[in-house]
Amino acid sequence: MSDSVSDCTEHRSAVTEAEVEALVRGICFKTGPPRFLGVEVEWLVHELRQPRLPVPPAHLEAAYAALRTLPLRSALTVEPGGQLELSSAPAASLMECIGSVSADLDAVRATLREAGLGLSGYGHDPWNPPSRFLHEPRYDAMERYLDRAGPEGRAMMCSSASVQVCLDAGYEEPGPLGHGRRWWLAHQLGAVLVAAFAHSPVAHGRRTGWRSTRQSLWAAMDPGRSSAPPQGGEPRAAWARHVLDAPVMCVRAPSGPWDVPEGMSFRAWTRSGTPPDRADLDYHLTTLFPPVRPRGHLELRMIDAQPGDDGWIVPLAVTAALFDDAEAAETAYRTVKPLAERADTQPAPCNPLWRDAARYGLADPELREAAITCFAAASQALPRLGATTEVLDAVAEFTDRYVARGRCPADDLLIRFNGQSHGRSHGQFHGKDIRT
């Protein structure tokens, strides 16, 4: 489930606008019973002796060469800034997913330790400015394109890390596990997940004013590329329109730099004298970065990387429970439905609900109450999904430490950063006194 070009390339002939719409409808929502689960865990890599200093590129390259010799079940990839990502194979159960990724991470950490390196789970690098490790035509073009809108794109490419949960699209039929409900739920519950797991309040050694700086960067980076389609319509049709209307990031070339067009949508490209082919469509789909990306399955991209070796397990378990257990999914739906009013008519993540989630975390009273209810429903559902006592205990500990107190991992980082939390987590929010 890594961010590689999708598997829909068979022919190299040009595609028409109508063909693109039909292809996207068929590719991106493959319905059926929720059977599989996946996770993509991204990490910042640091020197064990001097964790705040950037790792020299030659040191990283040597370490990654050693990692590529490991017999991992997960796909191992490297992000533009040198971040490391493990993408699980689709797993038939929560515990299969956790077990396989945990074993791979143990092997990766052991190899990195031999090179004097370790992994850090921050949503955004707290100390270092963005610096590109990979120099390839794809990333050269991406950087040129994103620089047009501001510095957020480079930070996203080189300084961010996340926990991405991948879920089956769901049944064709309506109901708690239907694909329409799951699509809607992902965009509303997503704000609760942003708030609960926010872990990036510091950048360049300074507090940013956001609990999730990473999410604030995604929202500001390029709305045509990083926002969701308008909600309320049929998911396949909405996503197909979004794909066609999204700007083309770059046009690939067999050699030399890739072209970076100015303001050309994919729809306009299909109407041009040199229209795209199937491979161009496949690549275009990988350059769209909404908080929920349909790729046959649903890829939830809004969760910050978490502290600790096993911190990623809690968001994976909670998210899986709230989507794949029918009772918990119904509870989550009823819980977040009132929050949809705060989203106004704007798509995630560029609406007031998502901005408040990124800025305040669970210091927002409504998000806190929603999280309390959703985490309780997840805890009740996890035994039905076969979760072990260790997973249940990890979710309970996270709930007690953060959710029940209106806190998130970012608050711990702020306390460590300057001895006390900053902003509104224990002060004023919308004119109300919050006591946690």
Side-chain angles (χ1 to χ4, degrees):
M1 293 187 176
S2 63
D3 194 20
S4 59
V5 175
S6 60
D7 59 355
C8 63
T9 301
E10 296 175 0
H11 305 291
R12 301 292 297 182
S13 58
V15 289
T16 66
E17 183 178 337
E19 287 171 337
V20 168
E21 184 169 0
L23 286 166
V24 171
R25 283 171 173 264
I27 292 166
C28 293
F29 287 90
K30 297 177 181 177
T31 54
R35 290 197 179 105
F36 295 105
L37 176 69
V39 68
E40 302 175 15
V41 286
E42 296 174 341
W43 304 87
L44 304 176
V45 181
H46 63 84
E47 297 268 8
L48 289 176
R49 292 184 178 181
Q50 297 177 305
R52 295 189 182 186
L53 296 181
V55 182
H59 193 175
L60 268 186
E61 185 56 54
Y64 289 162
L67 290 179
R68 292 187 186 101
T69 67
L70 296 176
L72 304 176
R73 284 174 283 183
S74 305
L76 186 147
T77 53
V78 179
E79 296 297 301
Q83 310 98 306
L84 192 68
E85 177 180 285
L86 285 181
S87 302
S88 74
S93 70
L94 172 65
M95 293 313 304
E96 178 186 324
C97 185
I98 291 173
S100 66
V101 176
S102 295
D104 287 344
L105 280 170
D106 287 345
V108 166
R109 287 194 179 95
T111 300
L112 288 177
R113 274 197 303 272
E114 293 177 1
L117 300 176
L119 300 176
S120 296
Y122 298 110
H124 186 280
D125 190 323
W127 316 113
N128 300 301
S131 177
R132 197 138 63 85
F133 171 70
L134 297 180
H135 294 275
E136 302 171 1
R138 165 187 170 98
Y139 298 121
D140 293 344
M142 181 182 292
E143 186 175 271
R144 286 166 54 205
Y145 174 89
L146 294 173
D147 279 352
R148 292 172 178 170
E152 294 87 1
R154 288 197 185 204
M156 176 277 294
M157 290 174 63
C158 301
S159 300
S160 67
S162 68
V163 176
Q164 298 177 16
V165 180
C166 299
L167 306 156
D168 281 330
Y171 287 99
E172 189 67 30
E173 299 79 13
L177 302 183
H179 80 283
R181 173 75 69 85
R182 286 160 77 86
W183 177 249
W184 183 91
L185 180 62
H187 289 89
Q188 308 307 324
L189 181 62
V192 179
L193 298 176
V194 168
F197 296 111
H199 188 228
S200 51
V202 177
H204 308 291
R206 297 186 178 90
R207 297 165 296 191
T208 65
W210 299 84
R211 292 301 189 276
S212 178
T213 300
R214 173 183 169 274
Q215 188 58 56
S216 75
L217 293 170
W218 282 103
M221 181 181 69
D222 177 9
R225 186 168 307 283
S226 62
S227 67
Q231 295 297 294
E234 196 279 322
R236 290 186 179 93
W239 181 247
R241 285 193 300 270
H242 187 72
V243 169
L244 280 163
D245 292 334
V248 174
M249 176 178 283
C250 53
V251 178
R252 296 170 301 151
S255 62
W258 294 5
D259 183 40
V260 181
E262 186 85 42
M264 181 178 72
S265 70
F266 201 83
R267 188 188 303 276
W269 194 7
T270 65
R271 298 175 179 178
S272 72
T274 55
D277 60 22
R278 287 279 299 271
D280 293 318
L281 172 61
D282 291 347
Y283 182 75
H284 177 64
L285 291 171
T286 71
T287 69
L288 303 180
F289 309 126
V292 183
R293 187 165 64 175
R295 304 185 66 194
H297 56 276
L298 300 182
E299 184 181 77
L300 277 62
R301 303 169 57 86
M302 72 287 295
I303 300 170
D304 280 358
Q306 296 295 287
D309 288 354
D310 300 322
W312 58 275
I313 292 175
V314 174
L316 171 63
V318 169
T319 305
L322 294 175
F323 279 86
D324 288 351
D325 180 87
E327 184 177 334
E330 185 63 29
T331 297
Y333 173 75
R334 293 197 306 267
T335 300
V336 302
K337 198 170 184 179
L339 292 176
E341 297 179 4
R342 284 176 59 183
D344 199 14
T345 59
Q346 303 173 59
C350 303
N351 63 48
L353 175 64
W354 279 66
R355 283 198 298 269
D356 287 346
R359 185 177 292 279
Y360 305 116
L362 294 186
D364 180 310
E366 291 181 317
L367 287 167
R368 173 186 178 181
E369 291 305 313
I372 289 172
T373 301
C374 288
F375 271 68
S379 295
Q380 294 172 6
L382 281 169
R384 298 192 289 269
L385 297 183
T388 62
T389 300
E390 290 78 10
V391 172
L392 294 174
D393 288 346
V395 172
E397 181 182 355
F398 188 96
T399 302
D400 292 343
R401 181 172 182 173
Y402 299 116
V403 179
R405 302 181 184 186
R407 303 177 70 250
C408 58
D411 293 305
D412 284 352
L413 183 56
L414 287 170
I415 290 171
R416 293 198 302 271
F417 181 72
N418 70 343
Q420 60 182 2
S421 65
H422 177 71
R424 300 185 178 190
S425 67
H426 299 286
Q428 297 295 313
F429 179 86
H430 294 172
K432 300 176 182 178
D433 183 41
I434 298 173
R435 304 185 186 280
T436 58

